[in-house]
């Protein structure tokens, strides 16, 4: 087990290095930040001096390794646009994105698994067919269109929920939260549904498919023949054996929620790191863009590692295979 974890961590570090290199290389084609930082009356001397101050006159390899050296220490440089440490800016924006992702992930997992089990058990029922038909909306429509439709219905027509912003927040230590205010909770509803709808429908359809496959297995028929209650058969035997593929997809989708919060945050003007990244692209704020992509990569790698470890906790066959290999 320890050797497996060490090997996966080593692979994760290599992945992060490659991602950082690719991202840092792409930023060279986004534009020149000097154009946005100096006015029209700039001189060549001003350009050369600022380029030297920012380290942009150094070779690409030197810039990249300096970025990695600072990132390991939690120092992502200074924002070209705001003139403040990038780590400070991201720390201010992170609570908004993490709270939105947490609510969206909770809705996607709880409702997705619940509806997946229900539609598998009642696969021929009217309610099950209606749910499966409606779920096509979450799979087919793009995220930004779902957000616009929700804004039109619940904000413009019904005037029930806010269409943008985070609402009122409360500071708890260094963390700003909207969970403790009424406007903050209302502001969470539409963006969290928008962000989590695709993941919810994907998880629901996967759970249903896996559940139907497991319910056809011989050991399920044997469990029923022994006189076990239907509830015990469905949840203790069938559902447990559908979790391995579900965990894989769910883990990746949780990472996608944070990574693709960019679209939702843009539609709802949610003040998170996704919207920060969009603004950084417009102003060619390379330190902010690089820090964002590296943090997203770290999250994906960490989630994949956790998913791999959960395999051992849920599926005893994996532990037996690895023990037999040694």
């Amino acid at each position: 087990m320890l050797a497996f974890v060490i090997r996966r961590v080593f692979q994760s570090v290599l992945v992060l290095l490659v991602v950082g290199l690719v991202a840092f290389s792409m930023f060279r084609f986004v534009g020149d930040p000097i154009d946005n930082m100096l006015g029209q009356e700039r001189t060549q001397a001003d350009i050369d001096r600022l380029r030297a101050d920012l380290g942009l006159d150094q070779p690409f390899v030197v810039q990249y390794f300096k970025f990695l050296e600072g990132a390991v220490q939690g120092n992502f440089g200074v924002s070209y646009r705001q003139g403040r440490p990038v780590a400070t800016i991201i720390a201010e924006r992170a609570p908004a994105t993490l709270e939105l992702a947490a609510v969206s992930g909770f809705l996607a997992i709880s409702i997705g698994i619940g509806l997946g089990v229900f539609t598998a058990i009642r696969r021929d029922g009217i309610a099950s067919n209606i749910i499966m038909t409606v779920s096509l909306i979450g799979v087919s429509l793009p995220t930004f269109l779902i957000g616009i439709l929700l804004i039109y219905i619940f904000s413009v027509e019904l005037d029930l929920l806010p269409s943008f912003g985070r609402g009122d927040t409360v500071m708890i230590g260094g963390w700003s939260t909207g969970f403790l205010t009424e406007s903050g909770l209302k502001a969470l509803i539409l963006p969290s549904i928008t962000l989590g709808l695709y993941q919810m429908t994907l998880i629901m359809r996967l759970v249903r498919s896996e559940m139907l496959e497991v319910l056809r297995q011989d050991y399920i028929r044997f469990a029923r023949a022994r006189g076990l209650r239907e509830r015990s058969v469905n949840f203790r035997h069938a559902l447990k054996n559908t979790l391995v593929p579900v965990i894989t997809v769910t883990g990746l989708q949780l990472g996608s929620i944070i990574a693709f919060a960019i679209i939702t945050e843009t539609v709802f003007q949610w003040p998170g790191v996704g919207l920060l990244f969009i603004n950084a692209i417009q102003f060619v704020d390379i330190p902010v863009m690089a820090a964002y992509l590296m943090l997203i990569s770290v999250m994906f790698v960490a989630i994949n590692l956790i998913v791999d470890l959960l395999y051992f906790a849920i599926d005893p066959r994996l532990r037996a295979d690895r023990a037999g290999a040694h």
Side-chain angles (χ1 to χ4, degrees), residues 53-92:
D53 292 340
L54 297 177
L56 298 177
D57 59 334
Q58 298 176 346
F60 169 78
V61 176
V62 176
Q63 295 182 43
Y64 173 62
F65 279 103
K66 280 190 174 181
F67 169 74
L68 288 181
E69 182 182 359
V72 171
Q73 302 171 6
N75 178 18
F76 296 99
V78 177
S79 169
Y80 295 164
R81 179 189 177 195
Q82 302 186 32
R84 296 193 298 149
V86 175
T88 302
I89 299 173
I90 291 180
E92 294 172 354

Side-chain angles (χ1 to χ4, degrees), residues 263-284:
I263 300 174
T264 302
E265 291 186 6
T266 303
V267 172
F268 290 93
Q269 288 298 292
W270 189 263
V273 293
L275 187 59
L276 176 68
F277 179 71
I278 294 296
N279 294 331
I281 293 177
Q282 296 174 351
F283 287 89
V284 199

